[in-house]
Amino acid sequence: MKSVIMAGGEGTRLRPLTCNIPKPMVPMVNKPVMEHIIELLKKHSLTDIAVTLQYMPNKIKNYFNDGREYGVNLKYYIEDKPMGTAGSVKNAEDFLDDTFIVISGDALTDIDLSKAIDFHFSKKSMATLVLKKVEIPLEYGVVVTDEEGRITRFLEKPSWGEVFSDTVNTGIYILSPEVLKYYNKDEIFDFSKDLFPLLLKDNKPMYGYVSEEYWCDIGDLNAYSQAHKDVLEKRVNVSIPGNEIENGVWAGEDCSIEDNVIIEAPCVIGANTKIKKGAVLGSFTVLGENNIVGERSGIKRSVIWKNSVLESNIQLRGAVVCDKVNLKENVSSFENSVIGDGTVVKENAIIKPNIKIWPDKIVEEETEVNSNLVWGSKFIRSIFGFRGMAGEINVDITPEYASKLGAAYGSIFKGKGRVAVSSDNSNPAKMLKISFVAGLVSAGLKVLDFGTMHLPVIRSAVRFYGADGGIHIGTSSRNVGRLQIDFIDKNGSNIERGTERKIETMFQREDFSRCEGSSIKDVEVIPDYTKFYLRSIVNNVRSEKLNYKIALNSSSESILNSVTELLTGLGCSIEKVNININYGNKEMNINNREYFAKMVSMGDFDLGVSIEDTSEKMMLVDNAGRIVTDDMFTALISLIMFRNIDGGTVVVPISTSHVIEQLADKNNGKVVRTKTSHQDLMNKILASDIKEQVYDQFILNFDAIAGIVKILDFMKENNYMLSDLVDMIPDFHINEREVECSWNSKGKVIRQIIQENENESIETLEGVKIFKDGGWVLVLPDAEQPLCKIKSESFSAEFAEELTNQYVNKVREINKS
C-alpha cells in the first residue's frame, strides 16, 4: 500500500519557527516532525511514499533525499502554487494506482495506522477519515458518524455556535484512487471543503475511524511546546535521539557535561552539545545538537535547536531558541518567548513573556524587549541614529510604532506642554503624522498641527510659537517609502542625546502614562506658516536687490517652486533643473554633480545651488564651475561668519578641515570643535551667548532656503562673486573612505588604535583623531551601520590618500582578528 505525506505547509502560525524552514521540518525532540511521520509509516510497512511539496521544497528534499537512509522510498511532487490538500495529492495520481493513505507531515501522532486501514477495508469505504476526540474543536474539521461509523455530517473549523461534535478530522485519510476522478489536475481543491462534501452529497461510502491514540496538530507555538512535553512524558510513542542514560534523560553522542551540572528529568541533550559547570537543565528541557550552554545558566521547560551558543548565566524559562542563536552573558528569556535563527542577544538583555523575535536580529545590551521584533534588523536601546530616526514605512516604522513613540516623546513633558507637528507632502509622511499626533494627544499634550512644510520651517515655527518641542516626518523624493523623523526641542534643534535616551527607555519599557479621557486636548491646526517664514527671510535682506543669475536644482518640486518664488522676488533670475544628486552616495552621483557644475559654468550663471529634499543642506557651484564640497562649504560659511562678526566664533565638527583655524587666525575669529552628529552641532551653536551669531550660523548650516539668501546678501553687500569667496579659502586636501567593521569590533578597533598611537598627539572627542606628519586622520565608528569612516587631511592629496588607506587596512586587520 502506498502513502502520501502532505508537506507543503508554511506554518504561518508557527512563525518565527517557520521563517527559514517549512512546517514539516520544525524539530520535535531533535528530529523534524516529518521524520517522526516517516518512522510511523515505516512501522506499519508503508514504505512507498509520495511527498507533496510547495513551501521551501528543497529544505525537505535535501534532508530526506530518496528516503533510503530512513528505510523508505520517497518520491516528490512539487506545486508551483498552493493547490489545496486534494489538489496537491492529484499531482501524484500516476503514483497512486491502488488504495492509499494520506497523512500530514506536520502533525505528531502514534495512531495505529494498520487498524485504521483494516477498518477501511472492512467497511468497503471509498474514503475513511481518521478521527480524534478533542476538548476544543474550533481549529479542526468537526465530524459526526452514525453507529456504524459512517459519516453523516461535518463542518470545517466551526465557531462555537456551530460546534456539533468533539470528534475532529486529523487529516489522515485512507482513500480509494477513485476519489481522484472527482476533480481535475491543476484545480484548486481541498479534501475537507470540496471533496468530502461532494462524496457525502453523492452518498458514497465514507467512514470515520475514531482513534484513541495520541494525535497533535502542531498548529501554533503553544501546541509546539505542549507536544514536546507530551513526548517527554511518554504520552506519545515516538523515538527520541540518543541513549536514555537514566530514567527520563536522553543524551546524544559526544555530548559533554562538566562538573556540578544539575539535570532534572525528563530532559534531552543532543549530540556534541556541551554543558558547562554549574549549569542547571530543568525538566522538560530539550537541547539540540552542537549547542554550548555556559556556566551558571539555568534552562527550564525550554527548547533549543542546533548550533547555538549560550554564554554564562543565561536564564531561559519556557522559551524556544532556534538555530545559530548567540545569547550573550546574563540574558533572560521568559515563558512562550521565541528567538529566531541567527539572532544575537547581547549582554543583560531581557526577553519578556510571549515575545517573538524573527530571524537575524540584533538585540542590544541591557534592552528589555516587550514587543515582537518582526521587521528591521535590530531591537536596540538606541532607536535614534546619527540624526533622529529613519526607516522603511510599514516595515521599520508602522503606524502603531509611531503612535507609541509619540506617546513616549510626549511623556517627557509630564502631560503639560505644546508640541508642533509637521510632515512633507508625501502620503506616507502624512499618514505617520496622524499616528504621532494620536500618541502625543494620548499623553495629554496640546498639538499644534502645521500641516505640510519643510524641516527648517518647522524649526522656525517651534521657536516663533514658543512650543516645547516638535516632530517632523519627511521622505525622500526618490524613495517615498523611506522615512526620516526629526524630534525637535524648544530651540528648533534636534533633541539632545540625553533626551533621546529618556524616550528610548520609556518606549522600550512602555513606561509612559496615558492621560484620562477628560484631559485629552484638541489639535490646533495652524495653516500658512510657510508664507510668514518666507516673508521674514525677505525682511531680513539688507541689500536692495539680489540680481544674480542662478541655476536651481532640487528633486523636490515643492522646494523648486518655493525657492524660485523667493529668489525671483528678490531680483534673481532662476533656471530650475532636476538633476538626481543623492547626498547619501557621492560616488554614485559624481557624474551628475559634474554635469550640474558644467551646466553652471557654460550657462553663464553666477552660481548654481542644489538643495536636498529636507531643504537643510545645499551644494553650491561657483561661476567657474567649481563644486563647493562639504568641507569647502563649512569653510565658506565660516568665512562669512568671521567677516560679519569681528572676533566671532564658529562651531564645526571634529571631522572638518583645519583650514577653518587658518581662516580664524586671519580674521581674528575662534573655532570650537564638536561631535559630528546634527544635534551635537546644533546644540553647540545654540549655546553661544550672541544671538545674531547663533541664528545666522544655525541658518547657514541647517536651512538651505534662508541660508542661500544670506550668502547672496553677503555677496551683494561686499560686491563678491561666489568664486571670489572660494578663492579666499586656502587650499586643503581631504580624503575619506568607509570600511566594513562589525558592531562587535568597533570598540576593539578604537581601543587598539589608541594603544598603538599613545606616543602621538590624539583626540578622542568622537572616535579617535591622530595628528601626524603635519596632518591628521580620524577613525569614526558609524552610528547606524557596521562600518567605520576614515577621514584624513594632509599637505597633498597623495599623502592624505595614503594616510586614509593606511588606517582602512588597519581597521580591516583589527576587525578580522
Side-chain angles (χ1 to χ4, degrees), residues 173-188:
Y173 314 126
I174 302 152
L175 303 172
S176 163
E178 184 183 346
V179 302
L180 299 177
K181 307 300 181 185
Y182 274 76
Y183 58 103
N184 300 316
K185 193 172 183 179
D186 297 327
E187 181 182 359
I188 297 175

Side-chain angles (χ1 to χ4, degrees), residues 328-609:
K328 301 292 186 180
E329 292 183 1
N330 305 317
V331 166
S332 300
S333 189
F334 295 105
E335 300 294 334
N336 302 315
S337 58
V338 180
I339 304 174
D341 294 343
T343 290
V344 177
V345 184
K346 295 190 178 179
E347 293 83 354
N348 304 305
I350 298 173
I351 315 298
K352 299 299 273 299
N354 302 307
I355 295 304
K356 312 299 183 287
I357 299 176
W358 262 238
D360 302 314
K361 301 295 180 284
I362 297 173
V363 177
E364 291 286 8
E365 62 271 13
E366 299 183 4
T367 302
E368 190 173 282
V369 184
N370 49 33
S371 61
N372 292 344
L373 178 53
V374 181
W375 308 111
S377 60
K378 298 201 291 180
F379 192 100
I380 57 176
R381 285 186 298 124
S382 177
I383 61 177
F384 292 94
F386 182 75
R387 170 195 144 193
M389 65 176 297
E392 294 293 322
I393 178 71
N394 286 337
V395 177
D396 302 307
I397 306 172
T398 64
E400 300 88 344
Y401 186 99
S403 179
K404 193 167 82 168
L405 189 56
Y409 176 52
S411 293
I412 68 175
F413 301 105
K414 303 187 185 302
K416 299 176 182 178
R418 304 190 308 159
V419 174
V421 178
S422 67
S423 72
D424 67 18
N425 199 39
S426 68
N427 288 331
K430 287 190 285 189
M431 179 192 77
L432 260 295
K433 188 185 74 170
I434 295 170
S435 295
F436 273 108
V437 168
L440 291 166
V441 170
S442 75
L445 297 187
K446 174 75 173 180
V447 172
L448 308 179
D449 184 355
F450 285 89
T452 59
M453 57 175 50
H454 301 302
L455 178 55
V457 186
I458 190 66
R459 296 190 192 281
S460 168
V462 166
R463 290 192 295 266
F464 183 81
Y465 277 87
D468 297 288
I471 297 174
H472 179 79
I473 305 103
T475 57
S476 165
S477 59
R478 286 175 292 277
N479 180 6
V480 293
R482 181 74 178 171
L483 290 163
Q484 175 69 49
I485 301 167
D486 288 88
F487 291 78
I488 299 166
D489 67 15
K490 64 181 181 181
N491 296 314
S493 167
N494 281 35
I495 57 175
E496 295 179 336
R497 292 286 186 200
T499 306
E500 288 181 345
R501 283 192 288 271
K502 287 180 184 177
I503 296 169
E504 288 157 0
T505 300
M506 286 186 281
F507 179 84
Q508 304 292 14
R509 296 180 182 174
E510 298 197 35
D511 185 20
F512 43 84
S513 58
R514 307 281 192 178
C515 70
E516 296 179 353
S518 58
S519 299
I520 291 177
K521 300 175 178 64
D522 66 332
V523 176
E524 183 179 351
V525 176
I526 301 175
D528 298 330
Y529 181 80
T530 298
K531 292 180 180 178
F532 171 81
Y533 159 82
L534 293 172
R535 280 200 307 271
S536 66
I537 293 175
V538 173
N539 292 339
N540 285 314
V541 173
R542 292 189 288 258
S543 304
E544 186 175 333
K545 194 174 184 183
L546 305 177
N547 52 341
Y548 291 105
K549 182 182 177 184
I550 300 171
L552 175 64
N553 179 58
S554 178
S555 55
S556 166
E557 193 68 28
S558 173
I559 291 174
L560 284 174
N561 293 336
S562 296
V563 178
T564 297
E565 183 180 350
L566 174 66
L567 294 180
T568 302
L570 291 168
C572 295
S573 171
I574 305 298
E575 182 170 329
K576 294 189 286 186
V577 294
N578 188 337
I579 299 172
N580 186 4
I581 296 177
N582 186 337
Y583 288 83
N585 191 333
K586 296 179 184 178
E587 290 181 3
M588 205 170 120
N589 292 280
I590 192 166
N591 291 337
N592 287 347
R593 293 187 180 204
E594 289 178 351
Y595 175 81
F596 181 55
K598 192 172 291 185
M599 179 190 133
V600 172
S601 63
M602 295 179 66
D604 198 28
F605 289 97
D606 294 313
L607 72 155
V609 57

Side-chain angles (χ1 to χ4, degrees), residues 137 140-144 153-159 162-164 192:
Y140 311 105
V142 176
V143 181
V144 174
R153 186 181 178 196
F154 58 80
L155 180 66
E156 185 72 4
K157 296 185 179 179
S159 67
E162 297 171 314
V163 168
F164 47 75
S192 296

Side-chain angles (χ1 to χ4, degrees), residues 73-101:
N73 304 310
L74 299 180
K75 190 168 183 179
Y76 298 100
Y77 297 87
I78 300 175
E79 305 168 62
D80 293 329
K81 60 182 180 179
M83 297 302 298
T85 53
S88 68
V89 173
K90 181 78 172 179
N91 286 337
E93 186 172 13
D94 292 344
F95 175 74
L96 303 170
D97 51 6
D98 203 348
T99 299
F100 60 95
I101 185 167

Side-chain angles (χ1 to χ4, degrees), residues 614-799:
T614 66
S615 65
E616 278 198 314
K617 297 292 182 184
M618 68 178 103
M619 184 194 80
L620 296 176
V621 177
D622 72 8
N623 48 298
R626 291 178 293 184
I627 296 173
V628 178
T629 62
D630 290 345
D631 282 276
M632 181 72 77
F633 183 79
T634 302
L636 176 70
I637 62 177
S638 297
L639 176 63
I640 292 172
M641 291 300 301
F642 290 141
R643 290 293 182 91
N644 276 339
I645 303 171
D646 186 49
T649 299
V650 298
V651 179
V652 297
I654 189 174
S655 57
T656 301
S657 167
H658 280 249
V659 76
I660 310 297
E661 279 77 5
Q662 296 179 44
L663 292 171
D665 289 343
K666 289 181 181 178
N667 294 278
N668 193 33
K670 297 177 183 176
V671 179
V672 173
R673 295 217 169 232
T674 188
K675 296 178 182 178
T676 56
S677 74
H678 269 55
Q679 68 259 60
D680 285 311
L681 182 57
M682 288 178 178
N683 291 323
K684 203 73 174 179
I685 290 172
L686 293 171
S688 172
D689 295 329
I690 308 170
K691 291 307 171 189
E692 182 186 357
Q693 180 173 325
V694 164
Y695 290 117
D696 280 358
Q697 190 171 179
F698 191 91
I699 286 169
L700 287 166
N701 276 283
F702 300 107
D703 185 347
I705 297 174
I708 186 60
V709 173
K710 283 198 173 293
I711 292 170
L712 295 173
D713 195 23
F714 176 81
M715 289 165 51
K716 179 58 66 176
E717 275 196 301
N718 294 277
N719 198 27
Y720 290 138
M721 296 295 287
L722 181 58
S723 57
D724 297 327
L725 295 178
V726 172
D727 289 339
M728 294 178 194
I729 299 169
D731 290 340
F732 60 91
H733 304 282
I734 291 281
N735 187 273
E736 52 189 315
R737 286 180 62 187
E738 294 179 347
V739 57
E740 288 185 7
C741 181
S742 70
W743 294 100
N744 295 338
S745 296
K746 288 182 178 181
K748 180 173 68 172
V749 164
I750 299 302
R751 172 179 51 78
Q752 196 162 321
I753 289 175
I754 290 173
Q755 290 173 346
E756 291 176 2
N757 290 276
E758 57 185 357
N759 295 323
E760 304 282 353
S761 174
I762 63 173
E763 282 183 8
T764 55
L765 175 64
E766 187 178 21
V768 56
K769 190 174 187 178
I770 306 112
F771 297 88
K772 58 193 310 180
D773 302 328
W776 54 266
V777 59
L778 174 67
V779 181
L780 186 63
D782 189 86
E784 297 176 334
Q785 301 177 74
L787 55 85
C788 283
K789 296 177 179 178
I790 315 295
K791 188 171 184 177
S792 299
E793 182 174 25
S794 192
F795 55 84
S796 73
E798 292 76 18
F799 274 95

